[in-house]
Amino acid sequence: QSVLTQPPSVSGAPGQRVTISCTGSSSNIGADYDVHWYQQLPGSAPKLLIYGHDNRPSGVPDRFSGSKSGTSAFLAITGLQAEDEADYHCQSFDRRLGFYVFGSGTKVTVL
Amino acid sequence: EVQLVQSGAEVKKPGESLKISCKGSGYNFRKDWIGWVRQMPGKGLEWMGIIYPDDSDTKYNPSFQGQVTFSADKSINTAYMQWSSLKASDTAIFYCARYTNYFDYWGQGTLVTVSS
């Protein structure tokens, strides 16, 4: 059971906007610890997508954006493309556990 | 260019030992933490712990403490994770990644299969 809960799957048609939630608690996201997002294409290693809630590393398209509200964080993909079909993982720190945690992961399917 | 290159896939029997490696290049390897992440078949990512190569300071996820051992040889820019006695439940892909408040560069992963 992950400390950070994500929906198992989300889907959308090309060009649509999809949002992935990452729900935590007052000991992680709600305690204002940074949330980071990773994209994992099929058969590949994860890749940093968003860091510190809403910052994109060089090379990541601005179709990807992050936000936070209360004890949840969100990853939005606008203008969905076939190449966005992947697993997405959130990550933060949990002060009660005393270490870093990943979300349960969300599979994005492009219809 | 920052790169982390991991050792190749392994097939082991229960009870055997194993050491996998992660070689960094393109940055000052000894001055950034290296983390290890487990991904069991069809599952999500799990943060196992991190090691600081310069002094081998380590921080383990309690769930993995005592199950694996991290080490590093800063002279050859390489981090290691080892098991003394593998179990079938250790079957997974293991990733190393550079940690700078987040995992910004990842290795390609090492698949470890433990089966009798």
Side-chain angles (χ1 to χ4, degrees), chain A residues 10-78:
Chain A
V10 299
S11 61
Q16 282 191 328
R17 171 190 168 102
V18 297
T19 302
I20 301 168
S21 60
C22 174
T23 303
S25 69
S26 58
S27 67
N28 42 68
I29 298 174
D32 209 28
Y33 289 106
D34 282 344
V35 178
H36 317 298
W37 291 90
Y38 302 88
Q39 177 192 57
Q40 186 175 26
L41 295 170
S44 296
K47 167 192 151 186
L48 179 66
L49 194 66
I50 298 284
Y51 63 94
H53 300 331
D54 60 359
N55 300 291
R56 287 185 309 277
S58 173
V60 173
D62 59 6
R63 303 185 292 104
F64 296 93
S65 62
S67 62
K68 192 188 88 122
S69 177
T71 58
S72 293
F74 305 91
L75 173 70
I77 311 174
T78 57

Side-chain angles (χ1 to χ4, degrees), chain B residues 43-64:
Chain B
K43 301 297 185 182
L45 305 175
E46 297 174 271
W47 188 87
M48 301 178 70
I50 52 176
I51 183 167
Y52 192 68
D54 199 38
D55 61 5
S56 291
D57 185 21
T58 54
K59 302 179 191 300
Y60 291 94
N61 176 334
S63 296
F64 294 95

Side-chain angles (χ1 to χ4, degrees), chain B residues 101-112:
Chain B
N101 294 321
Y102 38 81
F103 292 118
D104 58 356
Y105 290 93
W106 294 66
Q108 82 277 21
T110 296
L111 173 61
V112 174

